[in-house]
Amino acid sequence: MTHHAFDDLKACCPALAAALAALPKDKLERFLTARRLHVDHPLKWLLEARGQPDSLPYQVLINTELAVRAIADQRCFESWLQRRIREAATLPTGNSFEQQYSGSEPYKALSEIRAVGYLLSFFSQVVPHSAAGPDLTLRWHSEECAVEISAVRMDHAEARALTEFHNRRASRCDELVVHPAGCPKPGEFTVDNVAHKFVNKAQEKNDQLPQCRPAVLWLDLQFEDLWSLDCNEAWPLYVLRSGRFRTGGVWLSFYANKDTPLMDSESIEEGSPPDVRGICHTSMRYPGYFASGGARASAVVISWPDCTVLFENPWAASPLPRAIVEGLLHLRWFDWPRSWVRPFWKETAAAQADLQGRVRVALDDIAAVARIARRDW
């Protein structure tokens, strides 16, 4: 990084600049000049946003800066932050696509920095773990819960296709349509792939969560990998600009039942049979993570650049304590309308029953709109 560029970074993000200044200069240069894979190195992508106010990466840069500031204020996190910054600047070994794509350390480190920074803005006791199991323990008053943090990245096959496209771009003027959650197979809606990706991610992390105490799964989406995955996907059902209905793939991935209808872009005025368009998979072929019966997470936090959503598990064996829920409402960019939170001011069993009922109503709404949009085909 040039002296001038580093001055620019210090002007907008002094805490992050100070943390990066501890890195060897040659390490900074290596990741800043690293070749582009399907996307840029996640830390390089962030730092290059310093001159792009009002852009998506700039918002992520500011979120990261504020998180670093919150962590830097805690002396007990000094060595933890230094390790995470070193990991965030890590370059994968090897030049093959597989070796490059498997370099997930920067994604994990940046996700942890943002999650811890968000939590420290309200909770006074955030305890990181280095052993196997969840990444953090969150304590508030006499209550606590485990927190497991994970980055959500672009689908492997789509990342490979995009990398190959970048490699041949100089000699061809073609275009490539990219589906970050995975390219729909013949007969599939795109929403199917979004739901499937998040179900898989939650199930992949399930064993990291404790079975007998409250736990939160934190999913960070603040990466270039997922630039097109809109936070509207957290709604059970929403309307596209064209007036067509779409089911939210992220919501479905947690709350849907097997056979819940899927809608990709369905019109209630111009209903067209899905099979005419080559679609044969018009409903969920698997239940959502919470609805599957084996979910250990009491809740999931999904962190977009300008939207933080909390999905509580209505069937959790160990629901989040009320004090923890109230604290999570203070998270940066918390979005109450898109979140699915039990009425925590009620007794726990009654509040969970209310949330279960709210989910049933949403599923009934999806089924009703699907029948109208498809004209019962």
Side-chain angles (χ1 to χ4, degrees):
M1 183 181 288
T2 65
H3 181 73
H4 177 68
F6 204 77
D7 284 345
D8 287 347
L9 181 64
K10 285 195 291 186
C12 67
C13 301
L16 181 57
L20 290 171
L23 293 174
K25 185 177 179 181
D26 62 328
K27 188 167 189 176
L28 273 172
E29 293 296 333
R30 281 199 300 272
F31 83 78
L32 287 172
T33 57
R35 72 183 182 91
R36 185 174 175 84
L37 191 61
H38 60 295
V39 293
D40 277 325
H41 185 287
L43 187 53
K44 177 184 178 182
W45 178 69
L46 270 189
L47 299 183
E48 290 186 344
R50 63 190 179 278
Q52 307 167 32
D54 302 322
S55 69
L56 174 69
Y58 187 82
Q59 184 59 68
V60 180
L61 176 63
I62 296 304
N63 292 343
T64 309
E65 162 68 11
L66 294 176
V68 171
R69 288 185 197 180
I71 297 168
D73 285 343
Q74 307 288 324
R75 292 289 298 275
C76 60
F77 273 91
E78 186 174 349
S79 60
W80 182 92
L81 180 59
Q82 290 172 353
R83 286 195 301 274
R84 297 293 89 82
I85 290 292
R86 286 196 299 270
E87 291 164 0
T90 300
L91 280 171
T93 57
N95 294 317
S96 71
F97 169 79
E98 293 299 336
Q99 290 169 316
Q100 295 280 318
Y101 183 83
S102 64
S104 59
E105 261 192 312
Y107 288 87
K108 175 68 171 173
L110 289 168
S111 296
E112 290 189 10
I113 287 170
R114 284 191 285 262
V116 169
Y118 276 34
L119 290 168
L120 281 173
S121 65
F122 181 80
F123 295 97
S124 57
Q125 293 188 61
V126 181
V127 183
H129 299 290
S130 55
D135 295 307
L136 309 169
T137 294
L138 180 64
R139 297 194 180 101
W140 185 242
H141 300 303
S142 61
E143 306 288 1
E144 71 173 42
C145 74
V147 182
E148 173 66 14
I149 304 160
S150 186
V152 182
R153 300 180 61 190
M154 185 180 293
D155 172 77
H156 179 275
E158 290 294 275
R160 175 186 284 279
L162 185 54
T163 301
E164 293 171 353
F165 176 79
H166 289 324
N167 290 341
R168 68 175 185 264
R169 183 64 171 163
S171 59
R172 293 181 60 181
C173 297
D174 54 357
E175 296 181 353
L176 178 70
V177 176
V178 178
H179 300 87
C183 184
K185 297 181 179 65
E188 290 182 343
F189 283 131
T190 58
V191 69
D192 201 343
N193 297 82
V194 175
H196 192 249
K197 183 171 185 64
F198 279 82
V199 169
N200 282 351
K201 171 59 74 172
Q203 290 175 341
E204 172 192 320
K205 292 295 176 180
N206 200 51
D207 288 344
Q208 293 291 102
L209 299 169
Q211 286 183 300
C212 302
R213 62 189 177 102
V216 170
L217 174 60
W218 184 294
L219 300 179
D220 189 301
L221 277 60
Q222 299 191 51
F223 296 101
E224 189 182 2
D225 288 57
L226 295 171
W227 72 84
S228 64
L229 188 67
D230 192 271
C231 60
N232 282 329
E233 290 293 300
W235 295 116
L237 186 66
Y238 66 102
V239 178
L240 303 169
R241 290 181 182 177
S242 58
R244 294 172 179 269
F245 282 92
R246 178 178 170 88
T247 40
V250 175
W251 189 90
L252 292 171
S253 70
F254 294 101
Y255 295 108
N257 296 318
K258 184 179 179 182
D259 297 325
T260 295
L262 299 173
M263 286 177 280
D264 202 61
S265 179
E266 308 298 314
S267 170
I268 60 174
E269 296 178 351
E270 304 168 6
S272 177
D275 58 354
V276 170
R277 294 171 294 167
I279 302 297
C280 56
H281 301 296
T282 58
S283 60
M284 291 278 285
R285 286 166 279 172
Y286 43 84
Y289 171 65
F290 292 150
S292 66
R296 295 185 182 181
S298 311
V300 174
V301 170
I302 306 170
S303 177
W304 275 277
D306 56 359
C307 177
T308 303
V309 170
L310 175 63
F311 283 165
E312 276 201 270
N313 181 354
W315 305 281
S318 301
L320 287 183
R322 172 176 173 170
I324 298 292
V325 176
E326 291 177 351
L328 292 174
L329 304 186
H330 293 78
L331 290 173
R332 181 167 173 78
W333 295 113
F334 185 79
D335 191 319
W336 175 265
R338 286 185 175 88
S339 294
W340 285 65
V341 182
R342 73 182 192 266
F344 53 85
W345 49 90
K346 295 184 178 181
E347 188 273 327
T348 300
Q352 278 194 289
D354 280 3
L355 184 55
Q356 291 168 11
R358 186 182 169 202
V359 170
R360 284 194 297 272
V361 169
L363 293 172
D364 288 346
D365 288 347
I366 290 172
V369 172
R371 284 193 296 272
I372 297 171
R374 295 174 185 162
R375 308 280 177 86
D376 289 325
W377 279 305

Coordinates of all heavy atoms in Angstrom, one line a residue, residues 90-148:
T90 N -4.1 -13.0 5.2 CA -3.5 -14.3 4.7 C -3.8 -14.5 3.2 O -4.9 -14.3 2.8 CB -4.0 -15.5 5.5 OG1 -3.6 -15.3 6.9 CG2 -3.4 -16.8 5.0
L91 N -2.8 -15.0 2.5 CA -3.0 -15.4 1.1 C -3.0 -16.9 1.0 O -2.2 -17.5 1.7 CB -1.9 -14.8 0.2 CG -2.0 -13.4 -0.2 CD1 -0.7 -12.9 -0.9 CD2 -3.2 -13.2 -1.1
P92 N -3.8 -17.5 0.2 CA -3.8 -18.9 0.1 C -2.5 -19.4 -0.6 O -1.9 -18.7 -1.4 CB -5.0 -19.2 -0.8 CG -5.3 -17.9 -1.5 CD -4.9 -16.8 -0.6
T93 N -2.1 -20.6 -0.3 CA -0.9 -21.2 -0.9 C -1.3 -21.9 -2.2 O -2.4 -22.4 -2.3 CB -0.3 -22.2 0.1 OG1 -1.3 -23.2 0.4 CG2 0.2 -21.5 1.3
G94 N -0.4 -21.8 -3.2 CA -0.7 -22.5 -4.4 C -1.4 -21.6 -5.4 O -2.0 -20.6 -5.0
N95 N -1.3 -22.0 -6.7 CA -1.9 -21.1 -7.7 C -3.2 -21.7 -8.4 O -3.8 -21.1 -9.2 CB -0.9 -20.9 -8.8 CG 0.3 -20.0 -8.3 OD1 0.1 -19.1 -7.6 ND2 1.5 -20.4 -8.6
S96 N -3.5 -23.0 -8.1 CA -4.7 -23.6 -8.7 C -5.9 -23.0 -8.1 O -5.9 -22.4 -7.0 CB -4.7 -25.1 -8.5 OG -4.9 -25.4 -7.1
F97 N -7.0 -23.1 -8.9 CA -8.3 -22.6 -8.4 C -8.6 -23.2 -7.0 O -9.1 -22.5 -6.1 CB -9.4 -22.9 -9.4 CG -10.8 -22.6 -8.8 CD1 -11.2 -21.3 -8.7 CD2 -11.6 -23.6 -8.3 CE1 -12.5 -21.0 -8.1 CE2 -12.8 -23.3 -7.7 CZ -13.3 -22.0 -7.6
E98 N -8.5 -24.6 -6.9 CA -8.9 -25.2 -5.7 C -8.1 -24.7 -4.5 O -8.6 -24.5 -3.4 CB -8.7 -26.7 -5.8 CG -9.6 -27.4 -6.8 CD -11.1 -27.3 -6.4 OE1 -11.4 -27.1 -5.2 OE2 -11.9 -27.3 -7.3
Q99 N -6.8 -24.5 -4.7 CA -6.0 -24.0 -3.6 C -6.3 -22.6 -3.2 O -6.4 -22.2 -2.0 CB -4.5 -24.1 -4.0 CG -3.9 -25.5 -4.1 CD -2.6 -25.5 -4.7 OE1 -2.3 -24.9 -5.7 NE2 -1.7 -26.3 -4.1
Q100 N -6.6 -21.8 -4.2 CA -7.0 -20.4 -4.0 C -8.4 -20.3 -3.3 O -8.6 -19.6 -2.3 CB -7.1 -19.6 -5.3 CG -5.7 -19.5 -6.0 CD -4.9 -18.4 -5.4 OE1 -5.4 -17.3 -5.1 NE2 -3.6 -18.6 -5.2
Y101 N -9.4 -21.1 -3.8 CA -10.7 -21.0 -3.2 C -10.8 -21.5 -1.8 O -11.5 -21.0 -1.0 CB -11.7 -21.8 -4.1 CG -13.1 -21.8 -3.6 CD1 -13.9 -20.7 -4.0 CD2 -13.7 -22.8 -2.8 CE1 -15.3 -20.7 -3.6 CE2 -15.0 -22.7 -2.4 CZ -15.8 -21.7 -2.8 OH -17.1 -21.6 -2.4
S102 N -9.9 -22.5 -1.5 CA -9.9 -23.1 -0.1 C -9.3 -22.2 0.9 O -9.4 -22.4 2.1 CB -9.2 -24.4 -0.1 OG -7.8 -24.2 -0.4
G103 N -8.8 -21.0 0.5 CA -8.2 -20.1 1.4 C -9.3 -19.3 2.1 O -9.5 -18.1 1.8
S104 N -9.9 -19.9 3.1 CA -11.0 -19.2 3.8 C -10.7 -18.4 5.0 O -11.5 -17.8 5.6 CB -12.1 -20.3 4.2 OG -11.5 -21.2 5.1
E105 N -9.4 -18.4 5.4 CA -9.0 -17.7 6.6 C -9.4 -16.2 6.7 O -9.9 -15.7 7.7 CB -7.5 -17.8 6.8 CG -7.1 -18.9 7.8 CD -5.6 -18.8 8.2 OE1 -4.8 -18.7 7.3 OE2 -5.3 -18.8 9.4
P106 N -9.2 -15.5 5.6 CA -9.5 -14.0 5.6 C -11.0 -13.8 5.8 O -11.5 -12.9 6.5 CB -9.1 -13.5 4.2 CG -8.0 -14.4 3.8 CD -8.4 -15.8 4.3
Y107 N -11.9 -14.7 5.2 CA -13.3 -14.6 5.4 C -13.7 -14.9 6.8 O -14.5 -14.1 7.4 CB -14.0 -15.6 4.5 CG -14.0 -15.3 3.0 CD1 -12.9 -15.7 2.2 CD2 -15.0 -14.6 2.4 CE1 -12.8 -15.5 0.9 CE2 -15.0 -14.3 1.0 CZ -13.9 -14.8 0.3 OH -13.9 -14.5 -1.1
K108 N -13.1 -15.9 7.4 CA -13.5 -16.2 8.8 C -13.0 -15.1 9.7 O -13.8 -14.7 10.6 CB -12.8 -17.6 9.2 CG -12.9 -18.0 10.6 CD -14.3 -18.3 11.0 CE -14.4 -19.0 12.4 NZ -15.8 -19.2 12.9
A109 N -11.8 -14.6 9.5 CA -11.3 -13.6 10.4 C -12.1 -12.3 10.3 O -12.5 -11.7 11.4 CB -9.8 -13.3 10.0
L110 N -12.5 -11.8 9.1 CA -13.3 -10.6 9.0 C -14.7 -10.8 9.6 O -15.2 -9.9 10.2 CB -13.3 -10.2 7.5 CG -12.0 -9.6 7.0 CD1 -12.1 -9.5 5.5 CD2 -11.7 -8.3 7.6
S111 N -15.2 -12.0 9.4 CA -16.5 -12.3 10.0 C -16.5 -12.2 11.5 O -17.4 -11.6 12.2 CB -17.0 -13.7 9.6 OG -17.2 -13.8 8.2
E112 N -15.4 -12.8 12.1 CA -15.3 -12.7 13.6 C -15.1 -11.3 14.1 O -15.6 -10.9 15.1 CB -14.2 -13.6 14.0 CG -14.5 -15.1 13.8 CD -13.4 -16.0 14.5 OE1 -12.5 -15.5 15.2 OE2 -13.4 -17.2 14.2
I113 N -14.3 -10.5 13.4 CA -14.0 -9.1 13.8 C -15.3 -8.4 13.8 O -15.7 -7.7 14.8 CB -13.0 -8.5 12.8 CG1 -11.6 -9.0 13.1 CG2 -13.0 -6.9 13.0 CD1 -10.6 -8.6 12.1
R114 N -16.1 -8.5 12.7 CA -17.4 -7.7 12.7 C -18.4 -8.2 13.7 O -19.0 -7.4 14.4 CB -18.0 -7.8 11.3 CG -17.2 -6.9 10.3 CD -18.0 -6.8 9.0 NE -17.9 -8.0 8.2 CZ -17.0 -8.1 7.2 NH1 -16.2 -7.2 6.9 NH2 -17.0 -9.2 6.4
A115 N -18.5 -9.5 13.9 CA -19.4 -10.1 14.9 C -19.1 -9.6 16.3 O -19.9 -9.2 17.1 CB -19.5 -11.6 14.8
V116 N -17.8 -9.8 16.7 CA -17.4 -9.4 18.0 C -17.5 -7.9 18.2 O -18.0 -7.4 19.3 CB -15.9 -9.8 18.3 CG1 -15.3 -9.2 19.5 CG2 -15.8 -11.3 18.3
G117 N -17.2 -7.1 17.2 CA -17.4 -5.6 17.3 C -18.8 -5.2 17.5 O -19.2 -4.4 18.3
Y118 N -19.7 -5.9 16.7 CA -21.1 -5.6 16.8 C -21.6 -5.9 18.2 O -22.4 -5.2 18.9 CB -21.9 -6.4 15.8 CG -22.1 -5.9 14.4 CD1 -21.0 -5.2 13.8 CD2 -23.2 -6.2 13.7 CE1 -21.1 -4.7 12.5 CE2 -23.3 -5.7 12.4 CZ -22.3 -5.0 11.8 OH -22.4 -4.5 10.5
L119 N -21.2 -7.1 18.8 CA -21.7 -7.5 20.1 C -21.1 -6.6 21.2 O -21.8 -6.3 22.2 CB -21.3 -9.0 20.3 CG -22.0 -10.0 19.4 CD1 -21.4 -11.4 19.5 CD2 -23.5 -10.1 19.8
L120 N -19.8 -6.2 21.1 CA -19.2 -5.4 22.1 C -19.8 -4.0 22.2 O -19.6 -3.3 23.2 CB -17.7 -5.3 21.9 CG -16.9 -6.5 22.3 CD1 -15.4 -6.3 21.8 CD2 -16.9 -6.7 23.8
S121 N -20.5 -3.6 21.1 CA -21.2 -2.3 21.2 C -22.3 -2.2 22.2 O -22.7 -1.1 22.6 CB -21.7 -1.9 19.8 OG -22.8 -2.8 19.4
F122 N -22.7 -3.4 22.7 CA -23.8 -3.4 23.7 C -23.4 -4.3 24.9 O -23.5 -4.0 26.0 CB -25.1 -3.8 23.2 CG -26.2 -3.9 24.2 CD1 -26.8 -2.7 24.6 CD2 -26.6 -5.0 24.8 CE1 -27.8 -2.7 25.6 CE2 -27.6 -5.1 25.8 CZ -28.2 -3.9 26.2
F123 N -23.0 -5.6 24.6 CA -22.7 -6.6 25.6 C -21.3 -6.3 26.2 O -20.3 -6.2 25.4 CB -22.8 -8.0 25.0 CG -24.1 -8.4 24.6 CD1 -24.5 -8.3 23.2 CD2 -25.1 -8.8 25.5 CE1 -25.8 -8.6 22.8 CE2 -26.4 -9.2 25.1 CZ -26.7 -9.1 23.7
S124 N -21.2 -6.3 27.5 CA -19.9 -6.1 28.1 C -19.0 -7.3 28.2 O -17.8 -7.2 28.4 CB -20.1 -5.5 29.5 OG -20.9 -6.4 30.3
Q125 N -19.6 -8.5 28.1 CA -18.8 -9.7 28.3 C -19.0 -10.6 27.0 O -20.0 -11.3 26.9 CB -19.3 -10.5 29.5 CG -19.0 -9.8 30.8 CD -19.3 -10.7 32.0 OE1 -18.7 -11.8 32.2 NE2 -20.2 -10.3 32.9
V126 N -18.0 -10.5 26.2 CA -17.9 -11.4 25.0 C -16.6 -12.1 25.1 O -15.5 -11.5 25.1 CB -17.9 -10.5 23.7 CG1 -17.8 -11.4 22.5 CG2 -19.2 -9.7 23.7
V127 N -16.7 -13.5 25.3 CA -15.5 -14.3 25.6 C -15.2 -15.2 24.4 O -15.9 -16.1 24.1 CB -15.7 -15.1 26.9 CG1 -14.5 -15.9 27.2 CG2 -16.2 -14.2 28.0
P128 N -14.0 -14.9 23.7 CA -13.7 -15.8 22.6 C -13.1 -17.1 23.1 O -12.5 -17.2 24.2 CB -12.6 -15.0 21.9 CG -12.0 -14.1 22.9 CD -13.1 -13.8 23.9
H129 N -13.2 -18.2 22.3 CA -12.7 -19.5 22.6 C -11.7 -19.9 21.5 O -11.8 -19.6 20.4 CB -13.8 -20.5 22.7 CG -14.8 -20.3 23.7 ND1 -14.6 -20.4 25.0 CD2 -16.1 -19.9 23.6 CE1 -15.7 -20.1 25.7 NE2 -16.6 -19.8 24.9
S130 N -10.6 -20.6 21.9 CA -9.7 -21.1 21.0 C -9.8 -22.6 20.7 O -9.3 -23.2 19.8 CB -8.2 -20.8 21.4 OG -8.0 -21.3 22.7
A131 N -10.5 -23.3 21.6 CA -10.7 -24.7 21.5 C -11.9 -25.1 20.5 O -12.5 -24.2 20.0 CB -11.0 -25.4 22.8
A132 N -12.1 -26.4 20.3 CA -13.2 -26.8 19.4 C -14.5 -26.4 20.0 O -14.6 -26.2 21.2 CB -13.1 -28.3 19.2
G133 N -15.5 -26.2 19.2 CA -16.8 -25.8 19.7 C -17.1 -24.4 19.2 O -16.5 -23.8 18.3
P134 N -18.1 -23.7 19.8 CA -18.5 -22.3 19.3 C -17.3 -21.3 19.5 O -16.4 -21.5 20.3 CB -19.7 -22.0 20.2 CG -19.5 -22.9 21.4 CD -18.9 -24.2 20.9
D135 N -17.4 -20.3 18.7 CA -16.3 -19.3 18.7 C -16.3 -18.4 20.0 O -15.3 -17.9 20.4 CB -16.4 -18.4 17.5 CG -16.2 -19.2 16.2 OD1 -15.2 -19.8 16.1 OD2 -17.1 -19.1 15.3
L136 N -17.5 -18.1 20.5 CA -17.7 -17.1 21.6 C -18.6 -17.6 22.6 O -19.5 -18.4 22.3 CB -18.2 -15.8 21.1 CG -17.5 -15.1 19.9 CD1 -18.4 -13.9 19.4 CD2 -16.1 -14.6 20.2
T137 N -18.5 -17.0 23.8 CA -19.6 -17.1 24.8 C -20.0 -15.7 25.1 O -19.2 -14.8 25.3 CB -19.2 -17.8 26.1 OG1 -18.9 -19.1 25.9 CG2 -20.3 -17.7 27.2
L138 N -21.3 -15.4 25.0 CA -21.9 -14.1 25.2 C -22.6 -14.1 26.5 O -23.4 -14.9 26.8 CB -22.9 -13.8 24.1 CG -23.6 -12.4 24.1 CD1 -22.6 -11.3 23.9 CD2 -24.6 -12.4 23.0
R139 N -22.2 -13.1 27.4 CA -22.8 -13.1 28.7 C -23.5 -11.7 29.0 O -22.9 -10.7 28.5 CB -21.8 -13.3 29.8 CG -21.2 -14.7 29.8 CD -20.4 -15.0 31.1 NE -19.8 -16.3 31.0 CZ -18.5 -16.6 30.8 NH1 -17.7 -15.6 30.6 NH2 -18.0 -17.8 30.7
W140 N -24.6 -11.7 29.6 CA -25.3 -10.5 29.9 C -26.1 -10.7 31.2 O -26.9 -11.6 31.3 CB -26.2 -10.1 28.8 CG -26.9 -8.7 29.0 CD1 -28.2 -8.5 29.1 CD2 -26.2 -7.5 29.1 NE1 -28.4 -7.1 29.3 CE2 -27.2 -6.5 29.3 CE3 -24.9 -7.1 29.1 CZ2 -26.9 -5.1 29.5 CZ3 -24.6 -5.7 29.3 CH2 -25.6 -4.8 29.4
H141 N -25.7 -9.9 32.3 CA -26.2 -10.2 33.6 C -25.9 -11.6 34.0 O -24.8 -12.0 34.0 CB -27.7 -9.8 33.7 CG -28.0 -8.4 33.3 ND1 -27.4 -7.3 34.0 CD2 -28.8 -7.8 32.4 CE1 -27.8 -6.2 33.5 NE2 -28.6 -6.4 32.5
S142 N -26.9 -12.4 34.3 CA -26.7 -13.8 34.8 C -26.9 -14.8 33.6 O -26.9 -16.0 33.8 CB -27.6 -14.1 35.9 OG -29.0 -14.0 35.5
E143 N -27.2 -14.3 32.4 CA -27.5 -15.1 31.3 C -26.3 -15.2 30.3 O -25.4 -14.4 30.3 CB -28.7 -14.6 30.5 CG -29.9 -14.3 31.4 CD -30.6 -15.5 31.8 OE1 -30.1 -16.7 31.5 OE2 -31.6 -15.4 32.5
E144 N -26.3 -16.3 29.6 CA -25.2 -16.5 28.6 C -25.7 -17.4 27.4 O -26.7 -18.1 27.6 CB -24.0 -17.1 29.2 CG -24.0 -18.5 29.6 CD -22.7 -19.1 30.1 OE1 -22.0 -18.4 30.8 OE2 -22.4 -20.2 29.7
C145 N -25.0 -17.3 26.3 CA -25.3 -18.2 25.2 C -24.0 -18.3 24.4 O -23.1 -17.5 24.4 CB -26.4 -17.6 24.3 SG -26.0 -16.2 23.3
A146 N -23.9 -19.4 23.6 CA -22.8 -19.7 22.8 C -23.0 -19.0 21.4 O -24.2 -18.8 21.0 CB -22.6 -21.2 22.6
V147 N -21.9 -18.6 20.7 CA -22.0 -18.0 19.4 C -21.0 -18.6 18.5 O -19.8 -18.7 18.8 CB -21.8 -16.5 19.5 CG1 -21.9 -15.8 18.1 CG2 -22.7 -15.8 20.5
E148 N -21.5 -19.1 17.4 CA -20.7 -19.7 16.3 C -20.8 -18.8 15.1 O -21.9 -18.4 14.7 CB -21.1 -21.1 15.9 CG -20.5 -21.7 14.7 CD -19.0 -22.0 14.9 OE1 -18.5 -22.0 16.1 OE2 -18.3 -22.2 13.9

